[in-house]
Amino acid sequence: MLFYSKKVMDHFINPRNVGEIKDADAVGEVGNPVCGDMMIFYIKVKNNRIEDVKFKTFGCGAAIAVSSMISEMVLGKTLEEVMKITNDDVAESLGGLPANKMHCSNLGADALHKAVENYYKHKKNDQE
Ligand code: FES
């Protein structure tokens, strides 16, 4: 039996920012090597801040809660602030995760960091 915090259950049952941004400025996708689950983040950036964020998670309840939580955490943040958020920060904001579900928290920050990295890459290519 797993014991999820109230916050995890809330974000799992009512995930925020689920979906896709068709004209996203960048996309970040990661897979979890432990279980094979997947997470994709779409971001819109304005004045160096996350203006909009959406995600699709093909994974367990903890992974969905992690995606939802981090999507709320990064909205309005600068790209530098987003890059500083760690997987542990997300798990902590959720009131912790059961030990055998900590690996599920590894996707959230990684996927968002990838989206930001891809954003920088595209921007650089545009300038070249
Ligand atoms: Fe795969 Fe949770 S079991 S992310």
Side-chain angles (χ1 to χ4, degrees), residues 32 35 37 60 63 101 103-104 107:
N32 192 327
C35 60
D37 290 347
C60 69
K101 283 286 172 186
H103 73 93
C104 312
L107 295 179

Side-chain angles (χ1 to χ4, degrees), residues 42-62:
Y42 304 82
I43 56 170
K44 283 293 269 184
V45 179
K46 196 171 181 189
N47 298 330
N48 197 46
R49 284 182 188 274
I50 303 286
E51 189 190 35
D52 196 10
V53 56
K54 293 263 185 289
F55 72 88
K56 281 194 200 161
T57 291
F58 306 93
C60 69

Side-chain angles (χ1 to χ4, degrees), residues 11-81:
H11 279 270
F12 170 46
I13 292 166
N14 284 307
R16 281 63 139 181
N17 304 309
V18 176
E20 192 178 328
I21 300 175
K22 292 264 183 261
D23 59 341
D25 291 321
V27 179
E29 186 178 328
V30 291
N32 192 327
V34 179
C35 60
D37 290 347
M38 269 184 59
M39 197 179 279
I40 308 172
F41 268 94
Y42 304 82
I43 56 170
K44 283 293 269 184
V45 179
K46 196 171 181 189
N47 298 330
N48 197 46
R49 284 182 188 274
I50 303 286
E51 189 190 35
D52 196 10
V53 56
K54 293 263 185 289
F55 72 88
K56 281 194 200 161
T57 291
F58 306 93
C60 69
I64 291 168
V66 162
S67 323
S68 170
M69 185 75 225
I70 196 168
S71 73
E72 280 202 327
M73 286 167 78
V74 300
L75 211 53
K77 289 245 171 23
T78 65
L79 300 182
E80 291 76 19
E81 286 167 337

